[in-house]
Amino acid sequence: MRVTLAEDSTLLREGLVRLLAEEGHEVVAAVGDADALLAAVDADPPDVAVVDVRMPPTHTDEGIRAALEIRRRRPDVAVLVLSQYVEKRYATELITGEGGGVGYLLKDRVGQVDEFLDALERVAAGGAAFDPEVVRRLLARSTRTDPLSRLTPRERDVLDHMAQGRTNAGIAAHLHISQSAVEKHVNQIFDKLELTDAAGFSRRVLAVLRYLDS
């Protein structure tokens, strides 16, 4: 696949370039700030952009804002955020945006190279890959009434995995239950959240949005 990297740490950036090249992928650009990322994607759109959240000049949220801009300008370019931080406001917008091809991994929780490469390939193919810790932080709820309180613990587990971008088959494998059991839980989630099968809307996406907004 063709990859554009945006990482302000020269050491990490060059390490990723070498890793991807060794795996047979083409790194079309490797840059150190958000403006250079946007320029590189406009000049030669990759299959996927790997983006850090905090980049020059302020090292706050330049990277993830650039990721959102890429999705707005070029929805055909997948985006994988690889960072030490969870920027809740923009991360929620990125995850709940239209289309697939989105991922968000925490650097210190990517334990294996294969795990990173698998997530990268999944996102580039139009899928999703979200670190469970990212999802947990985004789903952290206040003491207000929880609209999801009717869900059983197992249904919450299934919805949590849905929010990570897993398919029913992927959820079944991770929770060690049958795919038919997952399908039953998913239907129960839809019923309890009163999500009708409205034309033009994915109940799966609406369920995750309800979870994120609770």
Side-chain angles (χ1 to χ4, degrees):
M1 76 186 81
R2 304 175 75 251
V3 184
T4 293
L5 296 173
E7 167 62 57
D8 66 315
S9 167
T10 302
L11 186 62
L12 180 55
R13 185 171 66 245
E14 293 306 316
L16 287 171
V17 168
R18 180 173 297 183
L19 169 65
L20 292 171
E22 289 175 351
E23 292 296 322
H25 303 303
E26 178 187 358
V27 178
V28 296
V31 301
D33 63 75
D35 289 341
L37 167 63
L38 293 175
V41 170
D42 283 339
D44 189 3
D47 298 315
V48 58
V50 178
V51 185
D52 191 10
V53 168
R54 299 186 178 183
M55 303 184 74
T58 67
H59 293 278
T60 53
D61 55 15
E62 286 88 349
I64 197 164
R65 286 191 288 110
L68 287 168
E69 184 64 15
I70 290 171
R71 296 295 289 172
R72 185 186 69 79
R73 294 184 190 179
R74 296 185 175 276
D76 56 319
V77 174
V79 172
L80 175 61
V81 175
L82 181 63
S83 182
Q84 292 176 300
Y85 309 98
V86 179
E87 210 299 329
K88 291 186 178 181
R89 174 186 172 190
Y90 295 112
T92 301
E93 187 176 346
L94 181 69
I95 290 172
T96 59
E98 294 184 1
V102 176
Y104 200 130
L105 302 180
L106 294 180
K107 292 176 182 176
D108 59 357
R109 286 174 54 84
V110 179
Q112 302 291 333
V113 169
D114 288 347
E115 183 180 344
F116 165 70
L117 293 172
D118 176 70
L120 183 65
E121 292 173 2
R122 199 187 325 161
V123 169
F130 302 119
D131 188 300
E133 179 64 13
V134 172
V135 175
R136 187 192 69 77
R137 295 185 194 180
L138 292 179
L139 301 185
R141 292 176 290 277
S142 68
T143 56
R144 295 174 300 153
T145 301
D146 183 359
L148 306 174
S149 59
R150 287 179 290 176
L151 299 184
T152 66
R154 176 60 84 186
E155 289 163 356
R156 283 179 175 271
D157 286 343
V158 170
L159 184 50
D160 179 73
H161 283 74
M162 287 167 60
Q164 295 174 38
R166 297 182 188 273
T167 63
N168 285 357
I171 295 171
H174 200 263
L175 295 180
H176 305 291
I177 58 178
S178 69
Q179 189 168 335
S180 62
V182 173
E183 291 169 356
K184 290 178 182 178
H185 288 311
V186 170
N187 287 329
Q188 284 295 314
I189 291 168
F190 293 158
D191 289 343
K192 291 181 179 181
L193 297 184
E194 299 179 354
L195 299 174
T196 61
D197 194 10
F201 294 93
S202 165
R203 289 192 294 172
R204 200 176 187 91
V205 172
L206 292 174
V208 172
L209 286 171
R210 183 72 61 82
Y211 207 172
L212 291 173
D213 287 339
S214 65

